[in-house]
Amino acid sequence: MTPMDNKQYAYFLKRLREARYAVLEDAENFTEVCFVLEELGVHLLKKGEKKSGLNDYKPKFQELLIQDNEVLELFNNHFEKLRHARNDQAHRGVCARNAAQHAVKISIILEESIMSALDKPKLGHIMIDNVICVEEYTKLAKIRELMLRYSFSYIPYCSEGKYYLLSDFYIAELWNSYSINERYTKSIQEIIKEKNESLEEMKYFEFNIELNGFQIPDKPILIYQNSPDNIVGILTPFDFL
């Protein structure tokens, strides 16, 4: 297997994460994980080695895995079911949902293995970029939609050039306290003013250090470059798992 450096590990970690999110959003996107697996498989080939197809790449993936019999058995089980599902023509409904489950499991297993292979990982290696944020004018219904679609526990909120965190619990409380019409017409800024909420209680963590000796927070970390209004990524406790 061709060895990889931290930059390459970080790239495939990001690609797997993006594919997994796509599958969670729509089960019929399970092939997104397959595309990443093929790209990873080609990358892992030794110079001059010629392979094609997920089944040919399987030994390369196994070498990349955490050396644990239980992990290997779990991977093999989900991998075979995903491979057969991809070759099947019925990619809708129940078939797609079953394939999606296997794709997500495979992605998580490989992400964990890549995380363990990183040498002195930094936040930039595992943080999520292209951060989805909420603006002052965003309606409550839209915020709820984003949180449900991506299974967010928190979503960054920008108010007067500063960032805060809106929790799923907080949004659920607001959702149940407004009428159907108000949910779709009131902005988050209007609601916060009406409720007389203190934004200070929604402050976020900000950090930019190596993971060595780092205590994992219980809230997301917004990572910025040069100034707090230039957000380049977000890191959640989930990303440390």
Side-chain angles (χ1 to χ4, degrees), residues 10-232:
Y11 169 78
F12 283 106
L13 188 63
K14 177 183 176 181
R15 293 280 287 117
L16 284 166
R17 183 189 287 132
E18 290 173 343
R20 176 162 53 82
Y21 286 162
V23 177
L24 290 172
E25 185 172 353
D26 185 345
E28 291 183 23
N29 289 333
F30 74 88
T31 52
E32 292 297 318
V33 170
C34 297
F35 296 148
V36 179
L37 290 176
E38 289 175 335
E39 183 182 1
L40 177 60
V42 171
H43 188 82
L44 293 174
L45 293 178
K46 294 179 181 178
K47 188 175 182 179
E49 193 174 7
K50 295 182 179 180
K51 302 279 184 180
S52 63
L54 290 180
N55 197 49
D56 286 348
Y57 299 138
K58 184 178 177 181
K60 301 297 180 182
F61 301 143
Q62 291 172 330
E63 291 179 41
L64 185 62
L65 295 178
I66 297 172
Q67 297 305 303
D68 180 279
N69 290 335
E70 188 174 338
V71 171
L72 182 61
E73 184 179 352
L74 190 63
F75 175 84
N76 289 340
N77 181 42
H78 289 295
F79 185 86
E80 287 305 312
K81 290 179 179 177
L82 176 64
R83 190 171 64 84
H84 288 305
R86 191 193 189 188
N87 295 333
D88 193 350
Q89 296 300 312
H91 288 160
R92 296 185 179 276
V94 174
C95 292
R97 288 195 292 274
N98 286 337
Q101 292 177 8
H102 301 308
V104 169
K105 290 286 188 181
I106 288 172
S107 181
I108 290 174
I109 292 171
L110 285 173
E111 287 174 54
E112 182 179 357
S113 295
I114 289 175
M115 277 288 294
S116 67
L118 283 169
D119 180 33
K120 296 181 180 180
K122 297 181 179 180
L123 296 185
H125 292 138
I126 61 175
M127 74 176 186
I128 300 168
D129 51 17
N130 300 319
V131 184
I132 296 174
C133 296
V134 171
E135 303 292 342
E136 294 174 332
Y137 53 80
T138 309
K139 309 303 181 188
L140 177 60
K142 183 62 179 180
I143 297 174
R144 178 177 180 269
E145 176 193 331
L146 289 170
M147 299 193 82
L148 290 176
R149 181 189 302 174
Y150 297 106
S151 299
F152 288 158
S153 295
Y154 292 89
I155 191 166
Y157 165 54
C158 183
S159 177
E160 298 181 353
K162 295 182 180 180
Y163 284 86
Y164 305 90
L165 290 173
L166 305 179
S167 70
D168 52 359
F169 181 78
Y170 177 65
I171 295 302
E173 280 189 325
L174 295 181
W175 185 259
N176 289 299
S177 65
Y178 283 94
S179 67
I180 294 177
N181 181 62
E182 290 174 319
R183 294 168 180 171
Y184 288 86
T185 58
K186 285 187 177 292
S187 69
I188 187 63
Q189 183 185 46
E190 292 176 294
I191 291 173
I192 288 175
K193 286 183 177 179
E194 286 181 0
K195 295 287 186 179
N196 196 27
E197 299 280 8
S198 171
L199 287 177
E200 291 302 311
E201 296 178 1
M202 304 176 191
K203 273 292 185 67
Y204 63 92
F205 287 93
E206 53 187 51
F207 249 85
N208 197 0
I209 61 173
E210 292 191 1
L211 300 184
N212 294 338
F214 176 56
Q215 185 175 359
I216 299 173
D218 59 359
K219 290 183 179 180
I221 302 169
L222 293 183
I223 302 170
Y224 62 84
Q225 187 174 26
N226 299 325
S227 65
D229 61 348
N230 183 23
I231 301 297
V232 296

